[in-house]
Amino acid sequence: MTTRRGTEERIPLLLGVLASLAIALVAIPLVGLLVRVPWSNLGSLLTSDVVLDALRLSLISSIAAAALSTVLGVPLAWLLARRRFRGRRVVRAAVTLPMVLPPVVGGAALLFALGRRGVVGEPLDAITGIVLPFSLAGVIVANTFVAMPFLVLTVEGALTNSDRGVEAAAASLGASPLRVFWKVTLPAIAPSLRAGMVLAWARALGEFGATVTFAGNLQGRTQTLPLAVFVSLENDRNAALAMSLVMVAVSFAVLLGLRDRWWNNR
Amino acid sequence: MTASAQPRQLDARLRVSRGDFQLEVDLEVSGQQTVVLLGPNGAGKSTVVDALAGVCPIDAGRIVVDGVVVDEPATSTFVPVRQRGLGIVFQQYRLFEQMSVLDNVAFGPSAQGVRRAAARRRAAEVLDLLGATELASRSPRDLSGGQAQRVAIARALAVEPSLLVFDEPLAALDVEVRADLRRALIDVSAGTGALVITHDPTEAFLLADQIVVVEDGRVTQRGDSEAIRMHPATPYVAALTGTNLFRGTAHGGAVTLDGGLTLHAADTHAAGPVVVTIDPVAVALHQAEPNTSARNTWSTEVVAVEALGERVRVVLGEPFEVVADVTPGAVEALDLRAGMTVWASVKATELQVRPATS
């Protein structure tokens, strides 16, 4: 490698070239998408039955998954952050596994467990009549499966770093542990909780693999936006482009909204 | 209601083992006394707070608050801190930043089942008592250290505790606001009795009815300020508490002590009631009237001479009781013995003058 003469402010050529390539890798597909978007009849494309159904299902399932992730994930994060118990490391690894696991594998696992003939699915069907696969509930379960780890990790991190002394003070004033959690702990980590909820929601909104494997691809029942985009690529490219644009816009808005939390306002 | 008929606010025999560290401290607070637990860092003061606050259950002994056993390993009794009736004012205030000051103070009553409106009324009363009414709608984030401590005291007081516990209440505050808060602390403690934990001997002298000195997990001395100051039981206590402390009135560079004697101080700004402290090391002794630049000289009688490790403590009597720490060499040179007359001198710059609390 050659050493270059020059001022400190100059960006080393090698780093500059590689960084530019990185930007190009991310930007070119987005530009390609934006160039192809049929802007003139965007309105009619976005109001077709397929798109409206997918939009509605995506909104319902992603919001429901974010809510379910919060209701279940916050107590779990609290447990992981605040209590020493046997198998805690294993639990943490298992909970975050869906972040690493190929979503298709997650969907398959859900199918074996909660499917009509699954270990849990069969008794669930027999006792309650609830059948998860190929239903909206199934979409929500699949979305929660992949999205919850984002919430758990974010909230657990915040709880680990939050001031335990304030909680001790609340307890000394007569508050029960649940009251301390509700009135003191949660408000103190509210910004991180919000960030975790948005992350979980965004992950659920983009979910494809686990959903298609576990809940199928039925228009009007389980076909969310990503699934509809995939199908439309085959038969209606303009609709696929329009829906892709919606998802890009939403994702970008989410990232902009989160940037203060993630990048510390630099 | 007579004080003698009431149980002690606190009766604690604390035994805690933490690895090599052993805590063995007995504490009693009764009759609305203010008891100060005084000790250096690592002496076990925070373990005492943790044990009382239920953070660290004791290994043996027992804690009785207002006649109720709250921790006793022998009988497997352990009452969580929320039911102990203690009002704990923690180091660093620990206010709830997401709530207003008023809601911070109302938190305790609410947690104990008082309705929201009544809890807030109670909070407003307590804030008023502490002269902090104007802070009610503020956020704890916008408070100065002194204001935050005032709110923390109000918050602890709002639950009408059997005993107030203050953990290093004045340590984090500027000298100017200390006197103010010390005053507030004395006022609120008078009603309930208090345990104050501190490493600062001056604060201990100013606040305590009774001082308990802890060193390395054990009580090395207990008594009132006078007894501890004049008769330190260990070299450590001597160093820790070896401060001459007087009350008086300052007027333009001079301080008239409550006993009538006037001393010169370098500080010419102080006025009104003050507390004067003189480091025993700063008190010089002479055989005859000294020809020195020191502005305070007087003739006095040696009351006692006590060896304290590498130094010798000389207790001086009339016209006012002062202790002087000198080297064994000086004792020999001056042939210091109890009952003899010597001259003492203190430079004006060695007088620490602070506004008094009361």
Side-chain angles (χ1 to χ4, degrees):
Chain A
M1 210 199 296
T2 55
T3 313
R4 292 186 164 270
R5 289 175 66 235
T7 58
E8 292 237 323
E9 302 89 68
R10 193 184 291 166
I11 298 166
L13 186 63
L14 180 68
L15 299 187
V17 169
L18 292 176
S20 305
L21 279 175
I23 295 171
L25 185 66
V26 176
I28 287 172
L30 286 178
V31 172
L33 184 74
L34 291 177
V35 166
R36 287 301 186 84
V37 169
W39 297 101
S40 52
N41 53 349
L42 201 56
S44 62
L45 279 170
L46 287 176
T47 49
S48 77
D49 278 355
V50 176
V51 177
L52 283 181
D53 275 347
L55 254 175
R56 180 176 57 84
L57 283 174
S58 266
L59 273 179
I60 294 172
S61 62
S62 62
I63 290 172
L68 196 58
S69 297
T70 306
V71 171
L72 303 178
V74 169
L76 175 59
W78 181 85
L79 205 65
L80 287 171
R82 291 299 161 81
R83 288 289 183 268
R84 310 259 160 255
F85 56 90
R86 285 187 61 166
R88 201 180 62 152
R89 283 156 173 260
V90 180
V91 170
R92 186 189 281 120
V95 167
T96 48
L97 193 65
M99 295 177 93
V100 190
L101 209 63
V104 182
V105 176
L110 283 171
L111 206 53
F112 292 130
L114 300 171
R116 218 176 249 280
R117 307 229 171 285
V119 194
V120 179
E122 197 164 356
L124 187 72
D125 183 11
I127 296 165
T128 65
I130 294 173
V131 179
L132 288 176
F134 309 105
S135 70
L136 178 57
V139 178
I140 293 169
V141 169
N143 281 357
T144 307
F145 179 80
V146 293
M148 195 168 66
F150 290 87
L151 183 122
V152 173
L153 283 191
T154 312
V155 173
E156 190 199 341
L159 285 172
T160 306
N161 294 326
S162 74
D163 180 7
R164 303 287 297 276
V166 178
E167 295 175 9
S172 80
L173 292 166
S176 66
L178 194 60
R179 191 183 185 93
V180 173
F181 175 77
W182 193 247
K183 295 275 185 183
V184 176
T185 311
L186 269 191
I189 61 154
S192 296
L193 177 61
R194 272 198 297 276
M197 287 171 74
V198 173
L199 277 175
W201 175 74
R203 178 65 188 85
L205 189 68
E207 220 304 299
F208 181 90
T211 310
V212 80
T213 314
F214 182 56
N217 186 10
L218 310 169
Q219 192 209 319
R221 280 188 67 188
T222 67
Q223 190 182 71
T224 56
L225 272 177
L227 272 57
V229 169
F230 188 73
V231 171
S232 301
L233 279 175
E234 295 289 309
N235 49 33
D236 187 353
R237 293 218 152 208
N238 281 346
L241 282 165
M243 285 186 281
S244 299
L245 182 70
V246 170
M247 303 211 63
V248 168
V250 168
S251 308
F252 211 67
V254 167
L255 285 175
L256 281 178
L258 277 182
R259 79 186 187 291
D260 291 347
R261 196 118 310 279
W262 269 19
W263 290 291
N264 269 340
N265 292 328
R266 285 215 299 146
Chain B
M1 197 159 63
T2 56
S4 60
Q6 292 177 335
R8 291 192 182 103
Q9 282 100 330
L10 178 72
D11 193 342
R13 292 199 305 115
L14 309 172
R15 303 288 180 273
V16 179
S17 299
R18 272 184 181 172
D20 284 347
F21 180 76
Q22 305 278 330
L23 181 81
E24 231 184 282
V25 170
D26 293 357
L27 283 172
E28 277 174 18
V29 180
S30 57
Q32 271 106 56
Q33 266 190 328
T34 296
V35 174
V36 172
L37 186 72
L38 175 66
N41 291 330
K45 298 194 303 295
S46 42
T47 309
V48 170
V49 178
D50 285 353
L52 294 177
V55 175
C56 161
I58 55 176
D59 297 316
R62 72 180 191 159
I63 304 174
V64 185
V65 178
D66 225 7
V68 179
V69 178
V70 297
D71 192 354
E72 188 173 36
T75 58
S76 299
T77 307
F78 184 82
V79 176
V81 65
R82 67 175 190 275
Q83 291 155 2
R84 289 189 178 188
L86 296 173
I88 307 176
V89 178
F90 294 92
Q91 230 172 324
Q92 309 303 331
Y93 327 126
R94 297 189 182 178
L95 298 178
F96 311 129
E97 294 200 339
Q98 286 73 26
M99 301 175 199
S100 70
V101 162
L102 185 71
D103 286 337
N104 263 271
V105 181
F107 183 90
S110 287
Q112 295 181 343
V114 177
R115 283 172 187 281
R116 188 177 161 79
R120 299 186 118 207
R121 264 202 309 278
R122 166 88 186 131
E125 281 168 24
V126 180
L127 280 173
D128 188 42
L129 200 68
L130 277 148
T133 301
E134 75 283 359
L135 302 178
S137 59
R138 300 261 288 272
S139 159
R141 292 193 191 95
D142 304 331
L143 300 181
S144 69
Q147 291 170 330
Q149 188 63 300
R150 225 166 250 278
V151 174
I153 294 173
R155 189 177 65 171
L157 202 61
V159 299
E160 298 178 37
S162 307
L163 176 74
L164 281 164
V165 178
F166 296 94
D167 188 5
E168 299 282 1
L170 305 172
L173 300 178
D174 294 337
V175 177
E176 306 89 74
V177 295
R178 278 192 190 192
D180 255 11
L181 264 146
R182 202 182 297 122
R183 167 91 254 163
L185 207 146
I186 289 169
D187 284 351
V188 301
S189 302
T192 50
L195 177 67
V196 180
I197 285 100
T198 183
H199 70 275
D200 184 338
T202 312
E203 298 301 346
F205 287 142
L206 291 170
L207 293 169
D209 295 314
Q210 179 88 11
I211 295 178
V212 178
V213 184
V214 257
E215 286 173 57
D216 197 24
R218 266 149 227 277
V219 175
T220 49
Q221 193 168 9
R222 55 179 91 221
D224 61 22
S225 333
E226 242 353 74
I228 284 183
R229 191 160 64 85
M230 287 305 173
H231 309 285
T234 68
Y236 178 74
V237 179
L240 195 71
T241 64
T243 301
N244 295 295
L245 185 148
F246 309 97
R247 292 173 190 278
T249 312
H251 37 83
V255 179
T256 303
L257 303 183
D258 288 355
L261 201 84
T262 296
L263 294 176
H264 297 282
D267 181 349
T268 55
H269 299 294
V274 290
V275 167
V276 179
T277 55
I278 304 168
D279 189 329
V281 177
V283 182
L285 299 181
H286 317 267
Q287 225 149 18
E289 178 161 11
N291 180 16
T292 154
S293 62
R295 300 196 42 212
N296 299 300
T297 58
W298 68 97
S299 164
T300 179
E301 187 196 353
V302 175
V303 173
V305 180
E306 296 168 17
L308 286 169
E310 313 209 326
R311 296 175 302 165
V312 177
R313 171 150 296 181
V314 181
V315 182
L316 304 173
E318 291 297 315
F320 69 121
E321 284 210 334
V322 176
V323 296
D325 282 358
V326 298
T327 60
V331 175
E332 212 168 304
L334 295 170
D335 193 22
L336 287 174
R337 281 169 285 106
M340 72 184 282
T341 302
V342 292
W343 282 81
S345 68
V346 177
K347 291 180 182 168
T349 50
E350 297 288 354
L351 262 66
Q352 308 289 329
V353 180
R354 311 185 205 185
T357 315
S358 52

